[in-house]
Amino acid sequence: MTVRRGADATLSVVVPLYNEGANVEELLARIRRVVDELALPPAAWELICVDDGSRDDTLPQLLAAAAADRHLRVISLSRNFGHQIAATAGLDAARGDAVVLMDGDLQDPPELIGAFLAKFREGYDVVYATRRKRAGESPFKILTARVFYRTIRRLTNVAIPVDTGDFRLMSRRVIVALRNARERHRFIRGLVSWVGFKQTGIPYDRAERFAGDSKYPFSKMFRFALDGITAFSEIPLRLATWFGFVVSAIAFVVAVIEIGIRIFTGYNLPGYTSTIFAILFLGGVQLITIGILGEYVGRIYDEIKGRPLYLVAETSGSGLDAPSDSLPSTAPVVR
Ligand code: UDP
Ligand code: MG
């Protein structure tokens, strides 16, 4: 597939939104300003906003804006499917040669799109933005994020860049590759690394949210981290084997000590402490490994059900007119 990278290249900006009513106006204004400065031809860009089942006025605001602006395309999902799935719905609909994925809370500055495009024109297929600083986020979130990115780098054989979220530009052939990777516990940044091609990063300072609160409480972050690790590593499954070896080694050492004490002192220990310790320790190890197995088995079950990743309730606006070499159009309900 040829990717146009010259002056005729088209651009899609994809934004998933969940209860971001207070951000919509500013978001649209800032993206429009940035695209105006890029001086793209009038028919050469689209903005795809995916409403992920918001309960506030995000959707009505988007629909009103789409009625007045043909660059804007709104996809409203039938319920809240989560950030990664909402982003996938947007990427599925994107028709540009270059596709930028960004958050709707303006933590990812649209002003970086120009720098993304410059790298894209140099021939890169993925340009990701690496966080130098994170403003307005709790020390806890910053610490857990640091630990997470470094853990996942050790556990996986796909090189996933550290401190890098989903804010990035992807070329059309990367988007097509993602359309063929329909796993449902999605870790988009990992999938994009897995795709390969020429990738590069540019550093940026992550801004504070423009308005509203984070939609990622600790429980969701934890689940997301598990999705990332289980999708790209089998090492946790191997932990059971390692635990087995370690426990056997400990048992062997304890046995040698007990026998030694018996031979040399003739004293037969009552053995309460060591028995309790062995029961608790082994019980713990077994529960942990069953839990790890469960994480993988649950994901296999989810995949095998083969449900669609998301359902679209309504779409509005046309965005980019499909280019002549366009992909087969994605039906409203996409697997
Ligand atoms: N989001 C979404 N569905 C969700 C949760 C979040 O579409 O179920 C969107 C949200 O509106 C935002 C982006 O995903 O545009 C990132 O979410 P958030 O800013 O809450 O995450 P954080 O930056 O705190 O990690
Ligand atoms: Mg955010």
Side-chain angles (χ1 to χ4, degrees), residues 60-140:
Q61 282 195 59
L62 288 175
L63 290 175
D69 180 355
R70 60 176 217 82
H71 294 291
L72 177 58
R73 188 153 171 224
V74 180
I75 297 171
S76 136
L77 301 185
S78 61
R79 64 171 170 85
N80 178 245
F81 281 89
H83 171 226
Q84 297 282 301
I85 299 286
T88 303
L91 297 179
D92 286 344
R95 284 180 286 186
D97 295 297
V99 178
V100 172
L101 174 61
M102 56 179 281
D103 285 354
D105 56 1
L106 291 165
Q107 283 197 285
D108 302 333
E111 290 72 21
L112 229 57
I113 293 174
F116 281 162
L117 277 176
K119 289 278 180 199
F120 168 70
R121 296 207 161 107
E122 279 173 32
Y124 288 98
D125 281 279
V126 176
V127 191
Y128 51 83
T130 299
R131 298 157 184 176
R132 229 177 353 213
K133 287 202 192 109
R134 304 167 68 118
E137 289 181 313
S138 69
F140 179 73

Side-chain angles (χ1 to χ4, degrees), residues 45 53 65 135 138 165 173 187 258:
W45 73 282
S138 69
R173 55 180 175 174
F187 187 62
E258 296 274 336

Side-chain angles (χ1 to χ4, degrees), residues 16 18 20 52 80 83 104-105 107 141 206 209 214-215:
Y18 177 54
E20 303 286 8
D52 187 18
N80 178 245
H83 171 226
D105 56 1
Q107 283 197 285
K141 177 140 186 173
R206 189 158 161 87
R209 250 179 176 276
S214 171
K215 310 296 180 296

Side-chain angles (χ1 to χ4, degrees), residues 49-54 59 63 74-81 85-86 89 308-316 331-334:
C49 288
V50 181
D51 175 60
D52 187 18
S54 297
L59 183 60
L63 290 175
V74 180
I75 297 171
S76 136
L77 301 185
S78 61
R79 64 171 170 85
N80 178 245
F81 281 89
I85 299 286
L309 284 186
Y310 54 85
L311 295 174
V312 173
E314 88 182 277
T315 58
S316 170
V333 177
V334 189

